[in-house]
Amino acid sequence: MADALILGGGLAGSAAACLIARGGGDVNLLERETGPHHKVCGEFLSVEAVAHLRQLGVEPLDLGAVPIHRMRLVWENREVEAALPFAALGLSRHVLDETLISQAVANGARVERGVRVTGLDGHVARTNVGEREGRQVLIATGKLPIRGEKAPARIANGHVGFKMHYRLAPSAARQLAETIVLALLDDGYAGLQLVENGRANLCLVLRAQAFARLGGDWQGVRACLDGTSQLQRILADAEPLFARPLAIANLGYGPPPRGHATDIAGAMFLGDRWAMTPSLTGDGMAIALRSGLLAAGCVLAGESAGTYHRLLAAETRRQIARATILQNGFEAPAFRHAAYWLARLYPALLTHAARATRLPDWSGP
Ligand SMILES: Cc1cc2nc3c(=O)[nH]c(=O)nc-3n(C[C@H](O)[C@H](O)[C@H](O)COP(=O)(O)OP(=O)(O)OC[C@H]3O[C@@H](n4cnc5c(N)ncnc54)[C@H](O)[C@@H]3O)c2cc1C
């Protein structure tokens, strides 16, 4: 029996595995994917996420991450730009997640790839290759519940997410240098930024009804983006790098559901499996990493899952509440209009909003 059995090798699970193994614990991490893979994500690494990666021994700049210093808010044919209050980075999840899971192996964690957890019974996980057991179970399967957990409720008019990588024309890449473009759409938003190797990542979040209004397919979504002159200009001669976009539906943004932590008594819930902060503010990866750091600290100190969940709630409550207000607000036309014109008059408001939606400073486990 391992000291820690970690289900899921995304950022949260791999971060926890790195630190528990580094602290001398026996870790068994199970990941269903056999190798590097893409994930729906804006790929905007906030300052806190970058700091946590460095604590884990991963330097994103060595992996080709590109700096992002400015935010450009665009709405139809209007735009306003402001400095970010911190240096952010753009790096694909294809590179990042693989590097972190390899770091867990390098730190001494036992990582099994291609292993899908199909159910959990107390300390025992059922998988496609047999049973695995851990004194402490950490559930880090992202948005996906595993059997044994309460099924998530179907969300009425929930969000749908898309991601597509592009190779941009040189002049378009120059327009995007060091900048994240945030385009406000009806019932959603799109983010566009550069990642490693000269790629650009377009990530969109839309309400399900808005997606249906656009015809329920990628062509409709892509055509709608041409209504935003900034995106139309940058993407005009762009070459799509995936045969079709990655998509995900029924996104359950918001604070953790009540009673979540007692679904499976004694298990620790990490990252998105614990709570999904609205993605507009680009701090989900930081929360995933922080949950991994906190969980590792609690496992090594022999603290209970209850203590861990209380600490994590205290760290993330304010960020999730503010991100929720901002993302929901931008979906409402009156708020969107008012916010755009205020930002136009006082661009420093954008800088302030970016600062106000960060996690508190990390003072250790
Ligand atoms: C549209 C969108 C845009 C976003 N943009 C940003 C952004 O720009 N910046 C930011 O910081 N955050 C962003 N986020 C949030 C961020 O992507 C997540 O918060 C982060 O990926 C959570 O990490 P995780 O480790 O909890 O989950 P994941 O990264 O989803 O990892 C879970 C892992 O578990 C594995 N797994 C799942 N089920 C099983 C199973 N049954 N058995 C074994 N393994 C399993 C999966 O293969 C996966 O590797 C965005 C999210 C969305 C939806």
Side-chain angles (χ1 to χ4, degrees):
M1 186 194 274
D3 295 332
L5 177 65
I6 305 182
L7 316 181
L11 298 184
S14 295
C18 281
L19 289 192
I20 297 172
R22 207 192 273 174
D26 175 26
V27 185
N28 188 7
L29 183 151
L30 312 177
E31 166 56 45
R32 64 178 179 163
E33 300 284 346
T34 50
H37 53 286
H38 286 287
K39 283 180 177 166
V40 176
C41 184
E43 305 185 331
F44 174 89
L45 276 171
S46 68
V47 61
E48 310 96 290
V50 172
H52 286 330
L53 287 170
R54 288 180 177 148
Q55 280 172 275
L56 294 164
V58 171
E59 175 49 68
L61 291 170
D62 291 347
L63 303 172
V66 298
I68 300 176
H69 294 299
R70 288 186 297 275
M71 172 185 7
R72 193 176 301 147
L73 190 70
V74 303
W75 172 42
E76 296 169 353
N77 57 358
R78 307 170 179 91
E79 56 186 76
V80 51
E81 194 168 298
L84 284 173
F86 49 80
L89 295 175
L91 182 67
S92 75
R93 298 296 299 271
H94 193 268
V95 169
L96 180 60
D97 288 47
E98 194 59 23
T99 304
L100 203 57
I101 201 168
S102 304
Q103 184 72 354
V105 175
N107 283 0
R110 194 154 25 102
V111 171
E112 297 185 75
R113 308 287 299 255
V115 175
R116 177 187 289 271
V117 179
T118 53
L120 184 65
D121 209 350
H123 294 260
V124 180
R126 288 185 297 280
T127 80
N128 55 328
V129 295
E131 290 183 349
R132 298 289 183 272
E133 211 174 340
R135 259 178 282 282
Q136 177 65 61
V137 176
L138 288 74
I139 305 181
T141 50
K143 294 147 203 76
L144 302 173
I146 46 172
R147 208 171 299 153
E149 271 187 84
K150 236 185 273 164
R154 181 122 203 116
I155 303 159
N157 196 20
H159 291 90
V160 187
F162 297 94
K163 166 171 130 173
M164 176 59 102
H165 275 185
Y166 290 96
R167 176 91 47 216
L168 298 183
S171 62
R174 278 194 297 277
Q175 288 181 54
L176 198 54
E178 300 201 0
T179 304
I180 173 149
V181 171
L182 278 180
L184 305 179
L185 309 171
D186 283 341
D187 282 339
Y189 77 93
L192 181 65
Q193 62 171 59
L194 294 175
V195 292
E196 75 280 0
N197 293 331
R199 288 169 167 244
N201 180 27
L202 173 72
C203 185
L204 268 119
V205 173
L206 286 173
R207 288 277 179 187
Q209 282 173 4
F211 178 53
R213 276 200 307 276
L214 295 172
D217 61 20
W218 176 240
Q219 280 68 29
V221 172
R222 190 59 194 80
C224 138
L225 296 183
D226 286 340
T228 302
S229 52
Q230 171 81 203
L231 294 180
Q232 198 271 334
R233 258 198 322 274
I234 296 180
L235 294 175
D237 298 316
E239 175 201 351
L241 297 176
F242 305 151
R244 68 182 88 85
L246 271 75
I248 185 163
N250 204 32
L251 293 171
Y253 289 129
R258 277 179 194 281
H260 194 116
T262 53
D263 275 354
I264 297 176
M268 293 179 174
F269 288 78
L270 277 68
D272 279 2
R273 198 67 237 109
W274 183 73
M276 271 188 69
T277 188
S279 39
L280 177 82
T281 57
D283 233 10
M285 289 192 275
I287 292 182
L289 292 166
R290 187 160 298 189
S291 71
L293 266 57
L294 265 178
C298 288
V299 168
L300 291 170
E303 295 288 358
S304 69
T307 303
Y308 156 73
H309 289 124
R310 269 194 302 283
L311 291 172
L312 185 60
E315 292 270 318
T316 57
R317 191 181 293 126
R318 209 178 60 169
Q319 197 286 333
I320 295 177
R322 291 180 175 181
T324 304
I325 291 171
L326 214 59
Q327 183 161 310
N328 289 348
F330 275 132
E331 288 179 5
F335 182 100
R336 193 158 65 236
H337 289 209
Y340 174 80
W341 288 112
L342 271 173
R344 189 73 210 220
L345 284 173
Y346 308 105
L349 278 178
L350 290 180
T351 310
H352 181 70
R355 190 180 295 116
T357 49
R358 311 288 26 116
L359 284 181
D361 287 342
W362 169 246
S363 51

